Amino acid sequence: MGEFELIRRYFAAAACAQAAPGVALGIGDDCALLEVPAGEQLAISTDTMVAGVHFPDPSDPFLLAQRALAAAASDLAAMGATPLGFTLALTLPAAEPAWLASFARGLDCKARECGLALIGGDTTRGPLCITLSVFGRVPAGLALRRDGARPGDLVCVGGPLGDAAGALALVLGQRQAPAEIASPLLARYWSPRPQLSLGVALRGRASAALDVSDGLLADCGHIAAASGVALCIERDRVPLSAPLRRLLDAPAALACALGGGDDYVLAFTLPPRFLAALQAEWPLRVIGRVEAGSGVHLLDDAGREVEPPAGGYQHFGSPRD
Amino acid sequence: MGEFELIRRYFAAAACAQAAPGVALGIGDDCALLEVPAGEQLAISTDTMVAGVHFPDPSDPFLLAQRALAAAASDLAAMGATPLGFTLALTLPAAEPAWLASFARGLDCKARECGLALIGGDTTRGPLCITLSVFGRVPAGLALRRDGARPGDLVCVGGPLGDAAGALALVLGQRQAPAEIASPLLARYWSPRPQLSLGVALRGRASAALDVSDGLLADCGHIAAASGVALCIERDRVPLSAPLRRLLDAPAALACALGGGDDYVLAFTLPPRFLAALQAEWPLRVIGRVEAGSGVHLLDDAGREVEPPAGGYQHFGSPRD
C-alpha cells in the first residue's frame, strides 16, 4: 500500500467519525451516495485553491483547511442550502504525517461547524492544490439565485466587510498590530464563518443573494447584471468592524470593504416587508437599494454618485481567480 | 474582466449548448442545482489528474480532456448510476486560447458520449491539474457496491484488459508499432469508453462491481476485502485484445491485463443465474469464481495457484495515485 493510499484511509477514518444524515454511502466505494428528500434539489459548488496563488506557500495546514472549506461552504449559504457533505481533492508534493494530521484536524473542525460530512475525494501527488466540492439540499424553487432583484428592494449584507482584505498584510507579515486588533482580523481571514443559517432564513424572502468573495462592488455587479437592475450602495452605511477601523485609516478600511474578497459574508436584496422580522434575529445591515437601470452605483451621504476608493488592499486569496 | 473570467464564460457557453435533463440550474450562480427523482440516490465521484504524474506533460488537450472525463465517468458506470452532470476544476499555468478550445472540444465530445452536462466548476492559475466531480442517479438500494460478492458467484469483466497499459510505451514514444496495432491501443488509452450502459444493466444482478483502474488483481482485491471472500481468477480466461497480443509477447500482454490500470472496464461478481441474459447482450467474459476465504488467487489451467507475472507495463496514469 502506497503512502497516498494510507492518506485516503486516514481521511476515511475521519469521515466515519462524523454524523452524516443524508449520506447513504461515504468514502470507500467507486462513488458516494447522497439522499435528497422528495421536493428538494441538490446544490453543488466547486472551488479550487492553489498554493502561491490563493494562499501563501507555506501556510499553516490547520488554518488552510479551515479557510478552504469555509470558502466552499459559503456558496451553499449563498444559495440558502442546508449542508450535506463534501469531497476533497487534495494534491500535495509529499505525504508528511504532521502536515496531514494538522490539515485533517482543520478540515474536521470546519466540517463539524458547517454540518458537512466528508463523503469522498482523491489524493494525488503534485504541486499543492485543494479542490473542494460541497453539496447541500434546498426545497425546489427556494434556492437563492442572483437574478431576482427588483426595484424597491433593499440591498443588505450579513455583517461587517473588509476584515479579510485588511488582514492580508498581517498574514503576509508586511504589517504588525497588537493582538486585540490582529487576532480577530486573522480569524476572519483564516477561518471565515459561512453564514449558513442566515442563508436558510433568507429562503422565500431575499430576491437575490450571493456571498461576497470577489469584493462587495464586484459581487453587487453580478446581481445587477443577472437581475437587469441597478444597485445603489450608500458608502457610509457599509459596515466596518472595530478592529479594521483600528488597523487602517477610514479610506483604506472602506477600500477593503468595497473591493476586498474573502469575507464570505452574504450580500442580498430584500423586499422591505421582510426586513423587520430578519433584523430581529440577524445583525443585518441595509446598505442601499435596488433601482431601475443597470450597474452598481456608490453614493455619498448627500446621495451623489462617487468613485470607489482606489487600492487599499492586496488581492491574494479569492478562489475565484 | 480577467482572462480566467473569460475562460469561465467560454465553458459556460459550451455547457448551455448541452441538453441537461435533471439540471435545474447550471453554470453562473453560486451553486448548480440538480434534480434527483424520488426513490433515487445521487452518486458522486471525484478524480484528479496532475500533469507529469497522471499524464505526460505536455499532452494533447483534446485527448487529455477525453481521458480525464472518461476516467471520472467510469466511476458512475461502476455504481450502475445514470449520468447527470459534472463539474470541472481546471488549474492551468496560462490561458492559451488554442489549448483551451481544444480541451473544451474534447470535454464536450466525451460529455455527449457519456450523457453528462457540465454544470459548474472553477478555473484557476497554477500548475496543470484537472479535478472532475461526476454526478449520477441510481434507484435507492440498487447501486453496485463492492461488498456483496458471495461464494458461488462468477467473476466477470466487461471486455479485454491491458490495452491502456500496453499503449503506454506508444504514448511515451518509447515504442513504435504499425497503425493497425497502435491506433486501437492509443484510442483505449486516450479515450476509454466508460461502460455506463453495462453498469445500468448490472443493477439488481451483479453482487459487487467496480471499474478496473488500479489493475485487475488489485481491484479484485478490493472486492474480496470489502465482501469478505476470495476471488479466484483463471489466468487463461482473462481476455486480451488482438492488438495487444500483436504488440506484446504473451507474458507481457498478460502482465498488462492483470496489473495495468486505466482500462476502465467493469469487473464484477455475478450469481450464475443472471449470466445467460447478460451474455446475450454484452460481450462479458467469465474469468473466475468467488469462494469462501480471502484475497485474490491466480490459477493456471490445471487449477494450481500461480504467481502473477512481474512487470510488463509501466504505471503512469491511474488517477488513483
Side-chain angles (χ1 to χ4, degrees):
Chain A
M1 186 185 303
E3 58 185 342
F4 280 72
E5 178 62 22
L6 282 171
I7 297 169
R8 279 185 278 274
R9 297 197 174 199
Y10 188 86
F11 282 113
C16 291
Q18 296 176 20
V23 181
L25 183 65
I27 289 177
D29 213 304
D30 295 287
C31 291
L33 294 173
L34 286 184
E35 308 271 9
V36 181
E40 303 210 352
Q41 295 172 323
L42 193 84
I44 297 170
S45 180
T46 296
D47 277 320
T48 297
M49 288 192 177
V50 180
V53 178
H54 305 104
F55 55 85
D57 187 24
S59 285
D60 179 273
F62 180 89
L63 296 174
L64 180 56
Q66 290 216 325
R67 178 159 176 260
L69 187 55
S74 183
D75 282 317
L76 295 178
M79 293 298 275
T82 302
L84 279 173
F86 71 103
T87 61
L88 165 69
L90 178 61
T91 301
L92 69 178
E96 291 174 25
W99 193 98
L100 281 160
S102 179
F103 186 89
R105 275 198 307 274
L107 201 67
D108 186 57
C109 277
K110 187 57 76 173
R112 287 171 191 272
E113 177 192 316
C114 294
L116 284 165
L118 179 61
I119 60 169
D122 198 4
T123 311
T124 49
R125 185 188 302 276
L128 180 59
C129 178
I130 305 162
T131 294
L132 290 160
S133 291
V134 291
F135 309 102
R137 58 188 174 79
V138 61
L142 289 188
L144 307 174
R145 299 171 57 154
R146 298 179 173 190
D147 57 2
R150 294 293 171 262
D153 290 348
L154 304 170
V155 179
C156 306
V157 292
L161 293 165
D163 283 359
L168 193 56
L170 304 171
V171 169
L172 297 175
Q174 296 168 347
R175 181 192 281 261
Q176 305 291 320
E180 69 272 21
I181 296 175
S183 295
L185 295 175
L186 287 169
R188 284 292 296 275
Y189 182 88
W190 282 117
S191 184
R193 300 181 77 89
Q195 299 193 297
L196 291 156
S197 301
L198 175 59
V200 170
L202 292 179
R203 287 179 191 163
R205 292 169 165 170
S207 52
L210 45 62
D211 61 319
V212 177
S213 54
D214 291 343
L216 178 67
L217 295 183
D219 285 316
C220 284
H222 299 323
I223 290 179
S227 298
V229 295
L231 266 62
C232 299
I233 309 296
E234 295 174 55
R235 186 181 59 188
D236 298 340
R237 299 179 78 172
V238 174
L240 306 173
S241 74
L244 185 67
R245 283 184 279 109
R246 290 182 62 188
L247 182 75
L248 299 177
D249 62 28
L254 184 66
C256 284
L258 295 176
D262 301 327
D263 282 314
Y264 304 107
V265 162
L266 297 189
F268 53 96
T269 58
L270 189 74
R273 68 183 183 280
F274 295 125
L275 182 63
L278 282 170
Q279 273 190 322
E281 276 194 83
W282 306 94
L284 306 184
R285 293 291 288 269
V286 177
I287 61 166
R289 61 192 184 281
V290 180
E291 298 193 353
S294 65
V296 177
H297 307 273
L298 189 65
L299 308 179
D300 68 11
D301 56 6
R304 289 178 298 240
E305 184 158 0
V306 292
E307 286 294 309
Y313 71 98
Q314 290 170 280
H315 196 70
F316 182 37
S318 169
R320 308 305 159 84
D321 285 355
Chain B
M1 185 187 301
E3 58 186 343
F4 280 71
E5 178 62 22
L6 282 171
I7 297 169
R8 279 186 278 273
R9 297 198 174 197
Y10 188 87
F11 281 113
C16 291
Q18 296 175 21
V23 181
L25 183 66
I27 289 177
D29 214 305
D30 295 287
C31 291
L33 294 173
L34 286 183
E35 308 271 8
V36 181
E40 304 211 350
Q41 294 173 323
L42 193 85
I44 296 170
S45 179
T46 296
D47 276 321
T48 297
M49 288 192 178
V50 181
V53 178
H54 306 104
F55 55 86
D57 188 23
S59 286
D60 178 273
F62 180 89
L63 297 173
L64 180 57
Q66 290 216 324
R67 180 160 176 259
L69 187 55
S74 183
D75 283 316
L76 295 178
M79 292 300 275
T82 302
L84 280 173
F86 70 104
T87 60
L88 165 69
L90 178 61
T91 301
L92 70 179
E96 292 175 23
W99 193 97
L100 282 161
S102 180
F103 185 89
R105 275 198 306 276
L107 201 68
D108 186 57
C109 278
K110 189 56 77 176
R112 287 171 192 271
E113 177 192 316
C114 293
L116 283 166
L118 178 60
I119 59 169
D122 198 4
T123 312
T124 48
R125 186 188 301 277
L128 181 59
C129 179
I130 304 161
T131 294
L132 290 159
S133 292
V134 292
F135 310 103
R137 57 189 174 80
V138 62
L142 289 188
L144 307 174
R145 298 171 54 154
R146 300 179 172 189
D147 57 1
R150 295 292 171 264
D153 290 348
L154 304 170
V155 180
C156 305
V157 293
L161 292 165
D163 284 0
L168 193 57
L170 303 171
V171 169
L172 297 175
Q174 296 168 347
R175 181 191 281 262
Q176 304 291 321
E180 69 270 21
I181 296 174
S183 294
L185 295 176
L186 287 169
R188 284 293 297 275
Y189 181 88
W190 282 117
S191 184
R193 300 181 76 89
Q195 299 193 297
L196 291 156
S197 302
L198 175 58
V200 170
L202 293 178
R203 287 179 191 162
R205 292 167 164 170
S207 52
L210 45 64
D211 62 319
V212 176
S213 54
D214 292 343
L216 178 67
L217 295 183
D219 285 316
C220 283
H222 298 322
I223 290 179
S227 299
V229 296
L231 265 61
C232 300
I233 310 296
E234 296 175 54
R235 184 182 61 187
D236 298 340
R237 299 179 78 173
V238 174
L240 306 173
S241 75
L244 185 67
R245 283 185 279 108
R246 291 181 63 190
L247 182 75
L248 300 176
D249 63 24
L254 184 67
C256 284
L258 295 176
D262 300 327
D263 282 314
Y264 303 108
V265 161
L266 296 189
F268 53 97
T269 58
L270 189 74
R273 69 182 183 280
F274 295 125
L275 182 63
L278 282 170
Q279 274 189 322
E281 276 194 82
W282 306 94
L284 307 183
R285 294 291 289 269
V286 177
I287 61 167
R289 61 191 184 280
V290 180
E291 298 193 352
S294 65
V296 177
H297 306 273
L298 188 65
L299 309 179
D300 69 11
D301 57 4
R304 289 178 299 240
E305 184 159 0
V306 292
E307 285 294 309
Y313 71 98
Q314 292 170 278
H315 197 70
F316 182 37
S318 167
R320 309 304 159 86
D321 283 356

